[in-house]
């Protein structure tokens, strides 16, 4: 993982420590799941990068559209991510895949690979904790959207009796 990317993401969010904590938490869960899944190389780089940067469009979405709704984030995030990643000389194929995941990360029907899947599982693990939802709603999310063994193990273990 590129520490400079973490630092840029942290700096981009400025004093919005809630967003910074979110990015670092999603990164931590994504890293655990990808290691459990034996993922290496560029695919690992895509997941780590997407985990850190997936919500980068939120401040612009709020500024331009007055809303952090998923569709605005998905619109504003990819160009910003591209600028940051090009500045750090990331490989073009990694940038393209990360931008695709950011552009679709609230559209679960578009999940088309293990990299995208792990980002969504890690994001959900963090967001279920942050939301007030019923046990039943959490169970439905988990049974619908968790596919990897490690992601399911974390989510079921953590939210049993939620
Ligand atoms: Fe997120």
């Amino acid at each position: 993982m590129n520490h400079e990317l973490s630092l840029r993401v942290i700096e981009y969010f400025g004093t919005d420590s809630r967003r910074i904590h979110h990015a670092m938490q999603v990164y931590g869960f994504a890293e655990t799941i990808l290691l459990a899944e034996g993922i290496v190389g560029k695919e690992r780089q895509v997941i780590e990068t997407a985990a850190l940067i997936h919500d980068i469009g939120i401040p612009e979405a709020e500024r331009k559209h007055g809303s952090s709704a998923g569709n605005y984030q998905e619109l504003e995030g990819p160009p910003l991510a591209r600028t940051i990643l090009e500045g750090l000389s990331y490989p073009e194929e990694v940038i393209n895949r990360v931008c695709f995941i950011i552009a679709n990360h609230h559209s679960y029907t578009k999940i088309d690979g293990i990299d995208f899947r792990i980002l969504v599982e890690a994001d959900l693990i963090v967001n279920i904790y942050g939301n007030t939802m019923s046990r039943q709603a959490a169970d439905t999310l988990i049974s619908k959207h968790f596919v990897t063994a490690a992601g399911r193990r974390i989510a079921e273990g953590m939210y049993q009796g939620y």
Side-chain angles (χ1 to χ4, degrees), residues 26-158:
V26 173
Y27 171 77
F29 287 112
E31 186 73 6
T32 303
I33 299 168
L34 78 86
L35 290 174
E37 292 289 314
I39 289 168
V40 295
K42 288 226 169 73
E43 198 161 47
R44 176 175 179 175
Q45 190 180 21
V46 165
I47 299 165
E48 292 172 340
T49 305
L52 279 169
I53 211 168
H54 70 282
D55 281 335
I56 202 80
I58 290 179
E60 273 299 278
E62 287 172 340
R63 199 178 64 77
K64 279 195 197 162
H65 310 280
S67 163
S68 62
N71 55 323
Y72 294 128
Q73 289 184 42
E74 291 180 350
L75 187 71
E76 299 299 334
L80 274 166
R82 182 169 291 279
T83 302
I84 293 170
L85 297 174
E86 282 177 355
L88 294 172
S89 302
Y90 272 60
E92 186 64 17
E93 60 187 297
V94 171
I95 297 175
N96 290 340
R97 184 63 182 160
V98 168
C99 286
F100 174 82
I101 293 172
I102 297 173
N104 295 286
H105 81 272
H106 292 104
S107 312
Y108 299 149
T109 55
K110 302 235 176 94
I111 296 172
D112 63 350
I114 188 77
D115 48 1
F116 193 163
R117 170 68 59 195
I118 291 175
L119 180 275
V120 166
E121 289 184 356
D123 201 23
L124 279 171
I125 289 167
V126 177
N127 286 336
I128 292 171
Y129 174 68
N131 283 348
T132 43
M133 68 175 77
S134 66
R135 170 75 205 277
Q136 201 187 5
D139 283 350
T140 305
L141 269 179
I142 292 165
S143 61
K144 255 187 156 171
H145 299 301
F146 283 78
V147 172
T148 71
R152 188 165 277 273
R153 183 170 149 193
I154 295 168
E156 286 178 350
M158 194 186 304

